[in-house]
Amino acid sequence: MTDGQERVRPSGVWATAVGVARVRALESERENALFRDPLARAFAAAGGLWPSSPPLPDDDEAARLRRLAVSFSIVIRTKFLDDLVRQACASGIRQVVLLGAGMDSRAFRMDWPEGTRLFEVDTAVPLDFKASVLRQERAVARCERITVAVDLREDWPAALAAAGHDAAVPTVWIAEGLLIYLPQDAVELLLARISTQSAPGSRMGLTLGSPGVIERFATDAAPGSAASLWVSEMPDDPVAWLAGHGWEADTHTLRERAAAYGRPISTPPQRQEQPGGLVSAVRRAPTSPLQH
């Protein structure tokens, strides 16, 4: 039996990773692409989303516009986190952890400094699906790639450590398109665990649901669609929130980054935009108690 016959069809939250791959495949075909992901099309095809995605009702213009907006945000956040990872590696970091890795192909499409170890953390089913596509494409990672099959609701730090992650040296952590699917208590636990595993100088890239995004996108989203599974938005003050966990953060709006990348959003904002949807952060060294 072939890999294609053995594959489990995407379902639930992890199926959204295949939709993200389709967006990245479409971006990769643009002449002025912000990134090129040569594996994205294969992931999308294996998940039944290439060459087209499921049709929308002919009169559902609002749904079409929502889909375009989500796709645009995926492109911008991918570029943002690509740059963040490159900057982290340029600073000397050689450990990368992708949380909820999905169909992320950074291990294969980016250039990595010698000695880089990249850990992909996700549950077994999407990792197995991904492995079958990688075998089919004869893909070769450009760094040491280590998969860690564990549910993020379980003791994933122990599984990560068992796979070789060294919490004593800096790490760059990427949580892309992840936190919006987690309830607030799970978001807090995830960040606390990341912080515990992060040596001073570690870096982190997060994407957060902007205020009101669930109301605008998820309220009447089709059952099973990505937006229908969203449950979490960013805190009112993401910089202060991260500072409370020991991180020094910079936040950016999608509109701001899109303009910087030469893809300005032409429509005016419908509401005042708060910074925070795209976050880069550096782990601070713990402060020493005052000596008396």
Side-chain angles (χ1 to χ4, degrees), residues 185-228:
D185 58 345
V187 171
E188 291 293 337
L189 177 59
L190 184 74
L191 189 57
R193 285 174 161 176
I194 291 172
S195 301
T196 300
Q197 305 302 310
S198 297
S202 292
R203 302 196 181 198
M204 180 168 57
L206 304 176
T207 62
L208 302 173
S210 57
V213 71
I214 292 176
E215 179 184 354
R216 298 197 306 275
F217 285 79
T219 304
D220 58 353
S225 65
S228 71

Side-chain angles (χ1 to χ4, degrees), residues 39-280:
L39 291 170
R41 180 171 176 170
F43 290 137
L49 293 185
W50 193 269
S52 61
S53 58
L56 295 169
D58 292 340
D59 59 347
D60 200 345
E61 177 65 10
R64 188 186 73 84
L65 293 175
R66 285 196 299 270
R67 178 178 284 184
L68 288 174
V70 171
S71 297
F72 184 80
S73 71
I74 289 169
V75 170
I76 300 303
R77 82 185 193 200
T78 300
K79 165 66 172 170
F80 174 79
L81 294 173
D82 281 358
D83 289 350
L84 185 151
V85 170
R86 289 189 183 99
Q87 291 160 7
C89 289
S91 77
I93 295 177
R94 295 294 180 267
Q95 282 190 139
V96 182
V97 178
L98 308 179
L99 295 169
M103 301 302 111
D104 190 299
S105 69
R106 288 185 171 95
F108 302 87
R109 67 176 178 82
M110 295 179 66
D111 294 324
W112 298 97
E114 185 177 353
T116 299
R117 309 179 82 205
L118 184 146
F119 299 85
E120 295 189 10
V121 182
D122 212 328
T123 53
V125 174
L127 286 177
D128 289 346
F129 174 93
K130 186 175 188 175
S132 72
V133 176
L134 293 173
R135 287 193 298 270
Q136 168 192 298
E137 298 299 311
R138 295 184 172 86
V140 178
R142 298 183 179 184
C143 60
E144 182 181 0
R145 173 179 176 261
I146 302 163
T147 58
V148 184
V150 63
D151 194 308
L152 289 173
R153 295 170 294 185
E154 299 171 358
D155 188 4
W156 61 264
L160 186 61
H165 177 260
D166 185 355
V169 298
T171 301
V172 55
W173 304 86
I174 300 297
E176 179 176 3
L178 171 64
L179 302 189
I180 200 168
Y181 295 103
L182 303 178
Q184 194 57 46
D185 58 345
V187 171
E188 291 293 337
L189 177 59
L190 184 74
L191 189 57
R193 285 174 161 176
I194 291 172
S195 301
T196 300
Q197 305 302 310
S198 297
S202 292
R203 302 196 181 198
M204 180 168 57
L206 304 176
T207 62
L208 302 173
S210 57
V213 71
I214 292 176
E215 179 184 354
R216 298 197 306 275
F217 285 79
T219 304
D220 58 353
S225 65
S228 71
L229 303 172
W230 294 350
V231 295
S232 175
E233 295 179 359
M234 72 182 186
D236 292 337
D237 188 342
V239 172
W241 172 60
L242 287 165
H245 286 275
W247 296 83
E248 184 175 347
D250 291 317
T251 63
H252 309 270
T253 65
L254 185 74
R255 183 179 294 270
E256 171 200 337
R257 288 293 86 200
Y261 301 150
R263 297 278 180 87
I265 300 173
S266 58
T267 56
Q270 297 179 353
R271 58 189 56 77
Q272 183 177 2
E273 292 185 321
Q274 294 178 257
L278 300 170
V279 179
S280 61

